[in-house]
């Protein structure tokens, strides 16, 4: 549904003398609104959800968003006339009320390719989310989705390894990878920490993982952690004949420290390092370059994202963060579980997975995807499902996410009543049972629990896992679901 | 026997499950054929985790669309190399994938000796690790079926 406009005062002023008379004009009169605009293939397109203040016209609000995220200042400046200023003005070109949500509007804005520095997420974000989210005439604003043009995509190197090469390097195909976060998060000495890593990997996991806040605290300095973890990784590799890894978190107070930690991880032969999202875009791109030069898989923990992605009326959707991270260049990305302890409507979460793994993402409104996105052969990111999941949900996880995902069972491995190895065995057996059954043509979504129970008859660790956690689920309504379909808030 | 929970090398999709029967192998093969993958049989007596290139038992079977035919190749390979590791691999030639998308072991030697972990102590507390398969202690020409 289009918004009605008064054509006499609400479109761009063409008369330059009037347009550049000193004073204040409406944003739409300054040229930030153009209902006739046809986006170019080279434009970056953004969809904002805006909540204008009482009395603020939604089209003027959309024009203001376009203005404040590109060239506008609050008043007319004559120096615009020294430039090809129309190129630099972002253009709002469509406004629609959000379905069933009074007071909120979707605003589509197009940005010319000249606005952004090649290969720089920092620059793109400084424009798109730099000022506009604090703009007073809006009560709230959220960047819901973005279409990055192929021309701009090609200026980014993307994931240093990518999920295809990661699988070739690890020699693991045709099934999700399995991981676990070493617990407790804080307090273990290096020696004790390595014990947990060894037991998990030898039991059957592919990866163990540092948690986001494990850096170099008094109870365990980073070199102790790296030395002990790598002894565990190599011992487990020899015990199983498989390539194993443990994400060594190199996040530190300065980028120089991060490089030092990454170098040591490489020297010890780790296949993977890890950074937290809180290190910032430029650091992420630098560490990505380092990883590319040093044949390293780069794991990204999205620490902190919930502060700006979770509330539907204000912030940035995680699907936008996922797109930026694929461009910036990470190999693994935490993208939610749908069935676990952390926020995530199943279809919305599937939308994030598509963004990570697609060659070409199609518009898919029930999954929150507003634009087609051609990834131009950019390598694919391996999504990671982590947080409050257990072996008894294996059928749901495989059905929701398919093979290309790392399933991380932290508590669901380490909290197993018979020990960490038994926990790992339970998860690996559950996974292989479910992949085999799916490939055999069984309806795992509906028969999954039976398949697990049947398999558990010859695998006591799996039986114990089902007995301990079989009934645990986190059925809370999501705060962030699609506006276009009555999606179930829980997966089952 | 190796000391891990299943007592054997755990590479491939199904090493934690009981050995697949020929009927079960056929179902997996058919799943791959339905998706348009090409199957290949490979064998080795050196299962080092980073031994990427096992010997090819013929070329990938691009033209073969029948699970029974693939299983016949598996059985030919088993007859020729009964004491080797044999794996089935499926290739997907879709643009942007172009790699292996399924891989599982369909034959193992009677005895799986596993690996030694060799630690070379270097500077500081740093150790360099080498995983060494016991199976390759003797020269290649003197290994194999007895």
């Amino acid at each position: 549904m289009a918004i009605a406009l008064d054509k006499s005062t609400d479109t761009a002023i063409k008369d330059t003398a009037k347009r550049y008379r000193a004073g204040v004009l409406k944003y739409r009169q300054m040229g930030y609104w153009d209902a006739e605009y046809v986006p170019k293939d080279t434009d970056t397109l953004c969809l904002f959800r805006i909540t204008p203040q009482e009395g603020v016209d939604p089209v003027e609000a959309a024009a203001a968003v376009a203005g404040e995220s590109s060239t506008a200042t609050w008043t007319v400046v004559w120096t615009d006339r020294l430039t090809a200023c129309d190129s630099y003005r972002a253009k709002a070109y469509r406004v629609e009320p959000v379905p069933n949500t009074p007071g909120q509007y979707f605003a589509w804005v197009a940005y010319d390719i000249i606005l952004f520095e090649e290969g720089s997420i920092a620059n793109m974000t400084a424009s798109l989310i730099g000022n506009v989210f604090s703009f007073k005439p809006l009560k709230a604003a959220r960047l819901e989705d973005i279409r990055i043009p192929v021309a701009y995509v090609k200026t980014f190197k993307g994931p240093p390894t990518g999920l295809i090469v990661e699988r070739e390097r690890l020699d693991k195909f045709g099934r999700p990878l399995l991981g676990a976060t070493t617990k407790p998060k804080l307090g273990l000495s290096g020696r004790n920490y390595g014990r947990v890593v060894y037991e998990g990997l030898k039991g059957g996991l592919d990866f163990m993982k540092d948690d986001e806040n494990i850096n170099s605290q008094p109870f365990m300095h980073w070199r102790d952690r790296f030395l002990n973890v790598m002894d565990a990784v190599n011992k487990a590799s020899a015990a199983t004949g498989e390539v194993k890894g443990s994400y060594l978190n190199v996040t530190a107070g300065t980028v120089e420290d991060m490089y030092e930690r990454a170098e040591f991880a490489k020297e010890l032969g780790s296949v993977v390092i890890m950074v937290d999202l809180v290190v910032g875009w430029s650091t992420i791109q630098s560490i990505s370059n380092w990883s590319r030069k040093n044949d390293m898989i780069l794991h990204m923990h999205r620490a902190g994202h919930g502060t700006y992605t979770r509330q539907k009326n204000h912030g940035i959707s995680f699907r936008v963060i996922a797109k930026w991270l694929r461009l910036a260049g990470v190999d693994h990305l935490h993208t939610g579980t749908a069935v676990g302890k952390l926020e995530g409507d199943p279809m919305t979460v599937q939308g994030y997975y598509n963004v990570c793994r697609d060659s070409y993402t199609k518009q898919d409104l029930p999954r929150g995807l507003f634009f087609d996105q051609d990834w131009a052969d950019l390598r694919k990111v391996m999504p990671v499902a982590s947080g409050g999941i257990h072996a008894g949900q294996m059928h749901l996880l495989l059905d929701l996410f398919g093979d290309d995902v790392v399933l991380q069972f932290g508590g669901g491995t380490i909290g197993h009543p018979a020990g960490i190895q038994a926990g790992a065995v339970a998860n690996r057996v559950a996974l292989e049972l479910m992949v085999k059954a799916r490939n055999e043509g069984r309806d795992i979504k509906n028969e999954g629990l039976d398949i697990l129970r049947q398999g558990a008859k010859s695998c006591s660790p799996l039986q114990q896992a089902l007995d301990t956690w079989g009934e645990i689920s986190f059925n809370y309504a999501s705060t962030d679901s699609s506006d276009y379909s009555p999606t179930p808030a829980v997966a089952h | 026997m190796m000391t891990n929970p299943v007592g054997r090398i755990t590479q491939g999709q199904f090493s934690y499950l009981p050995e697949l029967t020929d009927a079960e192998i056929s179902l997996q093969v058919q799943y791959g054929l339905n998706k348009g993958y090409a199957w290949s049989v490979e064998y080795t007596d050196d299962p080092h985790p980073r031994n990427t290139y096992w010997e090819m038992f013929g070329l990938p079977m691009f033209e073969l669309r029948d699970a029974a035919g693939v299983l016949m190749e598996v059985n030919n390979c088993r007859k020729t190399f009964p004491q080797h590791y044999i794996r089935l691999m499926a290739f997907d030639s879709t643009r942007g994938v172009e790699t292996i998308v399924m891989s599982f072991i369909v034959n193992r030697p009677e005895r799986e000796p596993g690996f030694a972990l060799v630690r070379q102590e270097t500077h500081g507390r740093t150790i360099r690790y080498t995983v060494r398969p016991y199976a390759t202690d003797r020269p290649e020409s003197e290994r194999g079926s007895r």
Side-chain angles (χ1 to χ4, degrees), chain A residues 73 99 131 153 208 250 272 308-309 311 350 394 396 405 410 412 426:
Chain A
T73 186
N131 274 342
V153 168
M208 292 293 288
V250 301
V272 55
Y308 46 88
T309 62
Q311 297 305 324
Q350 282 179 329
M394 197 60 81
L396 300 171
V405 55

Side-chain angles (χ1 to χ4, degrees), chain A residues 19 23 31 40 69 71 84 117 136 138 148 169-170 185 213 234 255 271 304 307 317 332 345 361 372 377:
Chain A
R19 166 66 178 80
K40 299 191 292 278
S69 58
T71 52
E117 177 177 343
K136 277 184 178 170
L138 300 177
I148 303 115
R169 216 176 267 173
L170 301 176
K185 292 165 94 144
N213 52 357
N234 285 291
V255 183
V271 295
T307 54
S317 164
H332 286 185
D345 156 73
T361 303
D372 282 11
D377 302 305

Side-chain angles (χ1 to χ4, degrees), chain A residues 168 231 241-242 377 432 436, chain B residues 10-11 16 24 95 99 129:
Chain A
E168 292 191 340
D231 203 62
E242 286 188 84
D377 302 305
E432 295 192 359
K436 177 168 175 281
Chain B
T10 57
Q11 296 170 14
Y16 276 69
E24 288 173 316
R95 174 164 166 170
T99 187
Y129 299 93

Side-chain angles (χ1 to χ4, degrees), chain A residues 180-239:
Chain A
T181 307
T182 304
K183 304 275 177 180
K185 292 165 94 144
L186 301 169
L188 292 171
S189 69
R191 190 181 196 280
N192 292 339
Y193 197 88
R195 165 61 71 188
V196 180
V197 172
Y198 174 59
E199 300 292 323
L201 294 178
K202 185 176 180 184
L205 305 185
D206 304 302
F207 288 123
M208 292 293 288
K209 170 181 172 293
D210 290 345
D211 224 328
E212 74 281 0
N213 52 357
I214 274 285
N215 294 165
S216 192
Q217 285 102 321
F219 51 83
M220 177 171 59
H221 288 157
W222 67 275
R223 290 181 67 97
D224 290 330
R225 171 162 49 97
F226 285 21
L227 287 164
N228 284 288
V229 164
M230 288 315 297
D231 203 62
V233 166
N234 285 291
K235 228 173 119 61
S237 194

Side-chain angles (χ1 to χ4, degrees), chain A residues 164 168 173-174 202-204 231 234-235 238-242 267 271 377 380 421 425 428 432 436 439, chain B residues 2-5 9-11 13-16 24 28 31 49-50 95-96 99-101 115 119 123 128-129:
Chain A
I164 300 291
E168 292 191 340
F173 307 99
K202 185 176 180 184
D231 203 62
N234 285 291
K235 228 173 119 61
T240 60
E242 286 188 84
E267 186 189 333
V271 295
D377 302 305
K380 296 162 185 167
Q421 272 196 45
V425 168
R428 180 76 174 261
E432 295 192 359
K436 177 168 175 281
N439 296 0
Chain B
M2 297 171 70
T3 63
N4 68 55
I9 283 168
T10 57
Q11 296 170 14
Q13 288 168 281
F14 305 122
S15 284
Y16 276 69
E24 288 173 316
Q28 296 298 320
Y31 172 79
R50 288 197 166 87
R95 174 164 166 170
T99 187
I100 298 142
V101 285
F115 305 88
R119 291 186 178 80
H123 58 282
R128 299 209 177 284
Y129 299 93

Side-chain angles (χ1 to χ4, degrees), chain A residues 118-382:
Chain A
E118 54 275 17
S120 170
I121 302 288
N123 180 250
M124 183 176 11
T125 54
S127 265
L128 300 180
I129 59 170
N131 274 342
V132 63
F133 286 72
S134 314
F135 191 52
K136 277 184 178 170
L138 300 177
K139 271 190 220 160
R142 188 185 201 221
L143 179 52
E144 285 286 337
D145 201 3
I146 185 169
R147 190 284 304 265
I148 303 115
V150 167
Y152 195 30
V153 168
K154 290 299 276 185
T155 67
F156 290 89
K157 285 190 271 187
T161 313
L163 75 82
I164 300 291
V165 176
E166 169 171 359
R167 284 190 177 282
E168 292 191 340
R169 216 176 267 173
L170 301 176
D171 186 39
K172 296 175 196 290
F173 307 99
R175 65 168 173 86
L177 303 180
L178 283 178
T181 307
T182 304
K183 304 275 177 180
K185 292 165 94 144
L186 301 169
L188 292 171
S189 69
R191 190 181 196 280
N192 292 339
Y193 197 88
R195 165 61 71 188
V196 180
V197 172
Y198 174 59
E199 300 292 323
L201 294 178
K202 185 176 180 184
L205 305 185
D206 304 302
F207 288 123
M208 292 293 288
K209 170 181 172 293
D210 290 345
D211 224 328
E212 74 281 0
N213 52 357
I214 274 285
N215 294 165
S216 192
Q217 285 102 321
F219 51 83
M220 177 171 59
H221 288 157
W222 67 275
R223 290 181 67 97
D224 290 330
R225 171 162 49 97
F226 285 21
L227 287 164
N228 284 288
V229 164
M230 288 315 297
D231 203 62
V233 166
N234 285 291
K235 228 173 119 61
S237 194
T240 60
E242 286 188 84
V243 179
K244 301 279 184 182
S246 189
Y247 319 151
L248 295 171
N249 190 350
V250 301
T251 302
T254 67
V255 183
E256 291 75 17
D257 287 338
M258 292 179 67
Y259 281 129
E260 183 188 357
R261 294 177 192 188
E263 287 292 339
F264 193 50
K266 178 182 76 168
E267 186 189 333
L268 294 175
S270 182
V271 295
V272 55
I273 59 167
M274 161 180 168
V275 292
D276 295 334
L277 183 55
V278 291
V279 300
W281 293 112
S282 303
T283 306
I284 291 166
Q285 288 197 250
S286 290
I287 294 294
S288 178
N289 277 343
W290 182 92
S291 298
R292 189 176 269 260
K293 280 191 197 117
N294 292 283
D295 317 312
M296 195 67 84
I297 296 165
L298 179 58
H299 179 95
M300 165 60 61
H301 187 296
R302 56 176 176 168
H305 81 97
T307 54
Y308 46 88
T309 62
R310 188 176 187 190
Q311 297 305 324
K312 214 168 156 177
N313 65 334
H314 189 83
I316 310 170
S317 164
F318 189 73
R319 72 184 64 88
V320 176
I321 302 294
K323 286 181 180 180
W324 286 339
L325 283 168
R326 182 165 173 185
L327 295 174
V330 301
D331 292 315
H332 286 185
L333 176 60
H334 289 238
T335 34
T337 64
V339 298
K341 68 178 178 182
L342 302 177
E343 167 70 29
D345 156 73
M347 291 192 87
T348 304
V349 170
Q350 282 179 329
Y352 308 153
Y353 277 67
N354 293 352
V355 161
C356 289
R357 303 184 300 194
D358 282 345
S359 296
Y360 189 104
T361 303
K362 297 291 286 182
Q363 186 195 56
D364 186 349
L365 296 179
R367 288 186 175 77
L369 300 167
F370 287 84
F371 299 110
D372 282 11
Q373 173 68 53
D374 187 345
W375 288 101
D377 302 305
L378 201 71
R379 284 182 171 181
K380 296 162 185 167
V381 177
M382 183 78 89

